[in-house]
Amino acid sequence: MAAFRTLRAISAEDAYANLALAEHTDRLDARDAAFATTLVAGTCRALGLYDAIIASAGGRPLSSLQPAVVDLLRLGAHQLLDLRVPAHAAVAATVNLARGAVGQRVTGVVNAILRKVAALDADGWAGRLRDERPDAEALLTRHPQWIIDAFAEVLPAAELPALLEADNAPPTPHLVVRPGLAEVSELGGTPLRWSPFGAVADGNPAELDAVREGRAGVQDEGSQLVAWALTRPDAPVGPWLDLCAGPGGKAALLAGIAAQVGTRLLASELQPHRAALVARALDAYPEPKPVVIAADGTRAAWPAKRFARVMLDAPCSGLGALRRRPEARWRRRPADVDDLVPLQHALLASAIAAARPGGLIAYVTCSPHRRETVEVVEAASGVRILDAASALPEVPDAARGPYLQLWPHRHGTDAMFLALLRKTGPTH
C-alpha cells in the first residue's frame, strides 16, 4: 500500500519519488520500507517499458484504464518481470491491493491483465515488443529515445550501453562534512575516491551524530567535486556567491571553505521554501553565519562586480541524475529543455555580472545535454573559458574539451557538467 500510494503521488501529483517515499514509508520497519523503496524505484525506472507491456497484454490503450489501475498494473509488472517474486504471489498481492486501494470492481481487470503479463518472462516480452513497436530497443534500456540520443551526442558510442546500465543501478548514498564543523572520520565507512570531504557508509545517515547536528549531510560526490573545483584556481579576495543555492548542499560545502580562507558566502535562492532549506543546511555554522536570501537570480539583489567566486548550479533537465531520480526520465520531455535554456543563458549572464574582474564563475548542470552545457557557455561574453578538468587533476577521464564532465559509469557519480570561467576586464 505504501508503494502504491507513493506511485499515485508521483503519477497524479508530479511528486518527487524520494519525498513521497519518505512520507508513505515513515511508519514501516526498515525491511518493509526497503522493499517499498525497491518497488517504487524499479517501477519508476522502467515505467515506459511496463506501460508498453501492459498495453500489449491487455490489448487496449492505457488511457482506457483508470489511472489508479494503471499504477497497480505497473507495480505488478515490476514484481513479475524484474523481482524474484513468484508469479502467483505477485498477481495475488496486486489483486488484493487493488481490492483494498481502489475497490472490488477493478480486481477482475487487474487479475486478467497481470496473468497475461505473467505468461511471458522478461526475455519473452523483449521479443514480443521488438515485433510490435519501433521504439522497443529504447524501452528495453529503460530510457526514452530522446534521452538516449542526447547522451549519444556527447559520449563515445562504445560507452553508451555502460552509461544506460549505470543509470539503472540504484546509487550508493554519499555523505559530506561541513568543512570546519566535522571530520570525515566521523562519517564512518570508506572515504570517497576524490572528494576530501565525504565518505560512503552503510546504514541510515540520520543516525550519525554529525548528520543529526547539521555538521554533515548527504551529497553525491559529483556535486562535492564541482563545488570544490570552484575554490581551487586563484581568484581575487572577496565574498563568494551561490546564485541558485537550493536545496543547499553546494552552499554548505562552499560556506565552510570560504570561512577557512577568511571570507563569507551569500546564498541566493528564488523560491522561499527552498531558501529555507538552504538556511537549514547552513544553520550549524557559527556566527557570523553565511547570508541566505530569497531572490531572483536573473535580477541581481547585489551590486555588480561584487564577488570573487560565483557558483551557478543552473536549473536543468536533471538528465545526469537519473539514478537518483528514477521518475524523471519519463516525466521530462524535449520541450523542457527548450524552456530551460533561455533561463540558463540569463542566469549565466547574471553570474558574470556579479563577478569581480578576474573572478571565477562555475557554471554547473546535472545534465550532459549539449544545449544546456556547451552551447550556453559558448554564447556567454565577458569571460575566458578555463580548463576545468585541470582544477580536479585527481579525477581521471573527466575532460570534455575545456570542460569537466563526470559520468555514472566512469566515476560512480551523477553526470555533472562544469565550466570554469574567469571574468575579463580591467581589475582596477
Side-chain angles (χ1 to χ4, degrees), residues 177-224:
V177 298
R178 309 303 189 218
L181 301 183
E183 300 294 332
V184 172
S185 59
E186 296 182 61
L187 304 178
T190 305
L192 294 173
R193 282 183 288 180
W194 304 296
S195 169
F197 307 104
V200 179
D202 295 328
N204 182 358
E207 295 177 357
L208 293 171
D209 289 343
V211 174
R212 281 201 307 269
E213 295 164 4
R215 297 182 296 111
V218 178
Q219 185 180 42
D220 181 74
E221 186 177 18
S223 292
Q224 298 178 40

Side-chain angles (χ1 to χ4, degrees), residues 68-309:
V69 170
V70 174
D71 282 336
L72 288 163
L73 292 170
R74 290 164 169 167
L75 286 170
H78 181 55
Q79 294 175 77
L80 287 167
L81 301 174
D82 212 34
L83 299 180
R84 295 191 300 273
V85 179
H88 69 277
V91 174
T94 308
V95 170
N96 288 337
L97 177 61
R99 183 179 295 111
V102 181
Q104 178 66 35
R105 60 188 175 78
V106 304
T107 57
V109 68
V110 171
N111 181 69
I113 293 177
L114 284 185
R115 287 186 179 279
K116 291 180 179 178
V117 172
L120 295 174
D121 62 10
D123 290 339
W125 275 110
R128 179 162 164 177
L129 291 180
R130 287 187 177 105
D131 291 337
E132 292 180 352
R133 299 181 62 112
D135 61 347
E137 293 302 331
L139 293 175
L140 291 168
T141 72
R142 292 163 164 77
H143 290 76
Q145 186 64 56
W146 78 272
I147 292 180
I148 297 175
D149 292 342
F151 290 157
E153 188 176 1
V154 298
L155 187 71
E159 294 187 46
L160 187 57
L163 170 61
L164 300 178
E165 184 177 350
D167 265 354
N168 292 331
T172 301
H174 296 165
L175 304 178
V176 62
V177 298
R178 309 303 189 218
L181 301 183
E183 300 294 332
V184 172
S185 59
E186 296 182 61
L187 304 178
T190 305
L192 294 173
R193 282 183 288 180
W194 304 296
S195 169
F197 307 104
V200 179
D202 295 328
N204 182 358
E207 295 177 357
L208 293 171
D209 289 343
V211 174
R212 281 201 307 269
E213 295 164 4
R215 297 182 296 111
V218 178
Q219 185 180 42
D220 181 74
E221 186 177 18
S223 292
Q224 298 178 40
L225 289 171
V226 295
W228 186 33
L230 173 61
T231 72
R232 300 188 82 181
D234 292 337
V237 174
W240 300 1
L241 171 67
D242 189 344
L243 190 63
C244 297
K250 294 181 183 66
L253 186 54
L254 291 170
I257 301 173
Q260 291 175 339
V261 298
T263 192
R264 295 181 69 189
L265 176 80
L266 171 63
S268 176
E269 170 56 43
L270 174 62
Q271 300 293 341
H273 73 279
R274 284 172 62 84
L277 295 176
V278 178
R280 189 179 310 162
L282 299 173
D283 189 56
Y285 283 108
E287 299 291 346
K289 291 183 181 294
V291 177
V292 181
I293 63 173
D296 184 344
T298 66
R299 298 180 179 181
W302 42 80
K305 303 178 182 180
R306 177 77 176 94
F307 298 96
R309 300 179 195 263

Side-chain angles (χ1 to χ4, degrees), residues 36 338 379:
D338 296 337

